Amino acid sequence: MAADPFRHSRGFPDAAVVIVEYGDFECPYCARAAGILHELVNTSDGQVRQVFRHFPVFDLHPYALTAALAAEVAGAHGLFWEMHDLMFANQDKLADKYLMGFARAVGLDSDLVVGDPAQPYGDAVEDDYAGAAQLRVEGTPTIFIDGVRYRGRLELGPLRAAVARAGGGGGAGQPANGQPASGQPADGPSSDDGADRRRRRAPWSRR
């Protein structure tokens, strides 16, 4: 069964504007974006909903996939955002022993987030990764505002302006599925951390 692509969201479910971020827990630009997007949601008077989807840049970031799995485990216990925030705040400490410590800190059994117990959650990560490929996501963070790829600066002011345009009808996307209004993926690279632009098969893929 495919994972719900909106399973990791914060903000009001009926918010006027939906921001979808494809991110990598080891990407330094994603760590910076995390705080900005959180503030954007918190100061939007309920008008913005943030959705996180995984795009681990595994050929550059050796801990990206295991961190994504740990986040999925936490999400299955209703603790995704707690784990998300903790990992981004401690981005230089994503080896298994640290992930186990983060799990304990948010109230999870530490043995659940690493090794074999975490492997079944790879399917959910792969679903996000496959969806990113359809949208031509090539690096992290890549952000869509109401289905339209955001190409501005990752700063609060420009993001608020883009949200205001989307909320006023300036963005013609379809937040229900994260696709641009035309039904075709937006083209061109996003801001990224040097990720290889070739199509890459996820290393955990069984297909």
Side-chain angles (χ1 to χ4, degrees):
M1 182 179 297
D4 176 6
F6 287 82
R7 66 195 178 280
H8 305 313
S9 69
R10 60 179 160 194
F12 288 100
D14 59 351
V17 177
V18 177
I19 293 179
V20 175
E21 175 195 6
Y22 284 91
D24 171 318
F25 286 106
E26 204 173 349
C27 165
Y29 302 105
C30 292
R32 181 174 178 273
I36 294 170
L37 292 173
H38 195 178
E39 185 175 357
L40 181 65
V41 172
N42 285 348
T43 59
S44 71
D45 292 327
Q47 296 303 300
V48 177
R49 177 186 180 194
Q50 177 191 357
V51 175
F52 184 92
R53 296 177 187 165
H54 300 285
F55 190 73
V57 185
F58 49 81
D59 50 359
L60 290 178
H61 299 150
Y63 300 114
L65 177 55
T66 51
L69 294 176
E72 281 297 313
V73 175
H77 292 81
L79 296 166
F80 174 81
W81 291 105
E82 290 83 352
M83 195 70 162
H84 166 283
D85 294 348
L86 195 52
M87 289 195 294
F88 274 132
N90 298 275
Q91 196 176 49
D92 59 336
K93 298 177 180 178
L94 295 178
D96 283 1
K97 65 178 181 179
Y98 297 115
L99 296 179
M100 294 173 75
F102 299 156
R104 287 191 294 270
V106 302
L108 278 176
D109 182 340
S110 61
D111 291 331
L112 295 178
V113 299
V114 297
D116 289 343
Q119 293 309 303
Y121 295 88
D123 289 345
V125 177
E126 185 175 350
D127 282 349
D128 282 358
Y129 193 93
Q134 292 179 350
L135 291 169
R136 298 180 187 171
V137 171
E138 296 170 333
T140 55
T142 294
I143 292 171
F144 294 87
I145 299 178
D146 274 3
V148 177
R149 189 186 297 251
Y150 174 72
R151 300 183 183 279
R153 297 190 305 277
L154 283 174
E155 298 172 1
L156 201 55
L159 281 165
R160 280 178 172 154
V163 165
R165 289 193 297 271
Q174 298 177 7
N177 59 16
Q179 298 285 349
S182 66
Q184 299 298 319
D187 55 5
S190 65
S191 298
D192 62 37
D193 50 7
D196 191 319
R197 289 188 168 42
R198 294 169 296 158
R199 286 286 174 264
R200 296 165 298 175
R201 179 178 294 277
W204 63 91
S205 177
R206 293 175 298 208
R207 296 174 187 144

